Amino acid sequence: MVHVRLDMSNPDNQNPRPELDENEFIECFSTPLKTLYAECKKLEAEGYAIDARVLTLAEGIEVARQFKIV
C-alpha cells in the first residue's frame, strides 16, 4: 500500500485512469474514509473483489469509529 498526496487542483490528477494489464479490470473511484467500510461491503455484495489491504484498512477505521478511538 502506498500513501501519496495529490494536487487535486491539477487537471491531470482529476480523472485518474489505470494502466491495465491484459485481462485486468480496475475501476477507480473516491469515497470518504468514514464511509469506506460500508462502501467496501456494498461493493462486495455486488460481486466486486476488494483488495484485502483496502478492506483491512476500512475495517480498522470502522473498529476505531465504533470504539470511539478516533
Side-chain angles (χ1 to χ4, degrees):
M1 201 174 260
V2 176
H3 177 90
V4 296
R5 288 185 182 259
L6 297 176
D7 176 3
M8 293 309 290
S9 65
N10 181 335
D12 291 338
N13 295 332
Q14 293 178 3
N15 292 307
R17 291 193 175 95
E19 294 180 16
L20 303 176
D21 291 336
E22 215 174 294
N23 299 319
E24 187 174 38
F25 173 78
I26 297 174
E27 187 174 342
C28 293
F29 63 92
S30 297
T31 189
L33 286 178
K34 69 183 196 176
T35 60
L36 180 60
Y37 182 73
E39 187 68 22
C40 285
K41 298 312 279 180
K42 180 180 133 255
L43 290 169
E44 239 179 2
E46 292 174 8
Y48 287 88
I50 307 299
D51 186 285
R53 295 165 291 193
V54 174
L55 189 53
T56 300
L57 172 66
E59 288 174 335
I61 292 168
E62 181 66 12
V63 166
R65 188 189 64 73
Q66 287 179 3
F67 287 97
K68 298 178 183 4
I69 296 170
V70 290

